[in-house]
Amino acid sequence: MGLEDEKDVPTIPFVGTIHRKYGIFINNKMKKYNLSFGQYPFLIELYDKEPSTQQNLAKIFQLNESTITRALNKLEEKGYIEKHPNYENKRKNYVKVTSKGAKIAKEVMDYDKQWDKICSENLSEKEFEEFKTTLKKIYSTIVKREEKWVFQLLIFCMIRKYGIDRELDWYCAICLGKIWR
């Protein structure tokens, strides 16, 4: 008897397991390219829509900029991407795929389609499309909720910084906890 047979199971065990299995799938496929699950999506995104900035990638993937920087540095060390300065804003770099990176990206681009095929083996095409539509709605809800918390946190922490209310330290800590859980 597995989780799928139990009643009243929250969604996270299912989402977490699917995510881990996807990571294993991608890591196995990426071994011969010396790439990892954490680097793969950036290479594909940059190949599809280059050039981009680290800040834009952080927004697209809902990750912090330090995580993006680490992944991009590894891709750059391997010669798959290169960074170019933005002369209008020196704090930003443009990132683009090299010819070596483009060659790899072309070879690995269909791995997400392969994964979707695995995931949809026991579903009709309509069921899988409905699932993706529902998943997108959940994603949108979560992202909007997080943005709301970030905005509230920013306001409260600014108030606290300027000494209007010391009791808000505690509220800021709660907001931070909700954002990064």
Side-chain angles (χ1 to χ4, degrees):
M1 185 166 167
L3 278 177
E4 67 274 10
D5 299 321
E6 295 188 24
K7 288 185 172 195
D8 300 323
V9 178
T11 57
I12 197 64
F14 299 108
V15 173
T17 299
I18 292 167
H19 181 73
R20 283 190 304 280
K21 296 293 185 181
Y22 173 67
I24 292 166
F25 173 82
I26 291 296
N27 277 334
N28 286 334
K29 298 281 189 179
M30 293 290 122
K31 279 181 188 171
K32 68 180 178 182
Y33 304 106
N34 194 25
L35 284 171
S36 72
F37 173 64
Q39 298 156 7
Y40 164 77
F42 302 113
L43 182 65
I44 299 304
E45 179 68 21
L46 289 168
Y47 177 74
D48 277 344
K49 301 173 186 135
E50 70 169 340
S52 189
T53 63
Q54 291 175 224
Q55 293 81 3
N56 188 46
L57 291 170
K59 187 175 182 179
I60 290 168
F61 290 105
Q62 296 293 306
L63 295 168
N64 62 45
E65 287 185 36
S66 62
T67 301
I68 303 292
T69 299
R70 283 191 299 275
L72 293 180
N73 286 345
K74 289 177 183 176
L75 288 170
E76 188 175 34
E77 288 170 12
K78 295 171 185 172
Y80 294 151
I81 65 158
E82 51 189 29
K83 297 176 187 174
H84 298 280
N86 177 344
Y87 296 108
E88 294 173 14
N89 184 344
K90 295 186 193 279
R91 292 183 299 161
K92 292 184 179 182
N93 287 318
Y94 285 108
V95 186
K96 65 179 241 169
V97 175
T98 62
S99 58
K100 180 180 177 182
K103 181 181 176 198
I104 301 297
K106 286 178 192 174
E107 292 179 30
V108 302
M109 284 194 73
D110 72 329
Y111 291 160
D112 286 337
K113 289 178 187 165
Q114 289 177 24
W115 179 253
D116 279 355
K117 189 172 181 178
I118 291 167
C119 290
S120 63
E121 281 177 4
N122 294 320
L123 301 173
S124 70
E125 190 174 321
K126 182 182 179 194
E127 287 174 320
F128 192 62
E129 287 305 314
E130 288 172 353
F131 166 73
K132 288 193 315 186
T133 299
T134 302
L135 201 56
K136 288 175 185 176
K137 286 180 184 177
I138 293 168
Y139 171 85
S140 179
T141 300
I142 298 301
V143 170
K144 285 178 185 170
R145 180 170 249 235
E146 182 178 284
E147 288 170 357
K148 181 179 168 186
W149 277 105
V150 170
F151 181 70
Q152 288 175 342
L153 175 68
L154 178 64
I155 290 170
F156 287 123
C157 289
M158 286 179 67
I159 291 170
R160 186 198 126 318
K161 179 179 179 180
Y162 295 106
I164 295 170
D165 190 347
R166 291 181 159 257
E167 294 296 317
L168 290 173
D169 280 341
W170 181 77
Y171 189 75
C172 289
I174 291 172
C175 290
L176 280 171
K178 288 184 179 183
I179 291 169
W180 284 293
R181 274 189 199 155

